[in-house]
Amino acid sequence: MAVKFLYYFLFVFIIVSVFLIYQKPYDIQRVISSKEKPNLEVYGMINYSLSKDGIAQIIRAKKVLRFNSYDEFYDIDTIKKSKNNLLEKMKSDSGKLVKNNLSLIGNVRYNNSNGIKFQSQKVNYNLKTKVFRSDVDFTLEDNRTVTYGSSMVYKSIEGRIYANNIKSRIEVDIK
């Protein structure tokens, strides 16, 4: 009986081996997604920054995506109160924070309580060096002046603005 079982086993083994030899091998292709998935998704985010004097800054975003190496923000709206009670407001369609570099893209608008307004389509800001940069067309307004330019760098620590290809309209009151 054991010998018959051995013959049947060998017969089935040979048939399966021949069958497998003539089969075309399977190609398993792993499809890698071109866009990585976020670790965290937040909708309707409001962030309050507190200081000893009260609320120093409020940041709102309709959607925030946190990835391993960067964060993405959508429909950003910020209000900040500086040390000398100056209110600063900034809005943008989207933004991306990579380490200390914040990039705002799409309809970037800034204004403060001193009457200064800024508009552009793309802005980069380094949180560590406090350098504000726009490499696309911008508009800068204050109470007397409207300035148009193709690019600018604002070094906030020094308080200096460097701009290229500017055109300015200045209103002067003559008394």
Side-chain angles (χ1 to χ4, degrees), residues 111-123:
N111 62 9
N112 65 21
S113 56
N114 281 347
I116 296 175
K117 297 177 183 177
F118 174 83
Q119 292 180 340
S120 183
Q121 287 300 313
K122 184 177 180 185
V123 170

Side-chain angles (χ1 to χ4, degrees), residues 96 101-105 122-126 131-135 152:
K96 185 175 184 180
N101 295 318
L102 175 64
S103 297
L104 299 174
I105 300 168
K122 184 177 180 185
V123 170
N124 294 316
Y125 181 69
N126 188 300
V131 174
F132 184 86
R133 177 184 307 268
S134 177
D135 294 328
M152 71 167 283

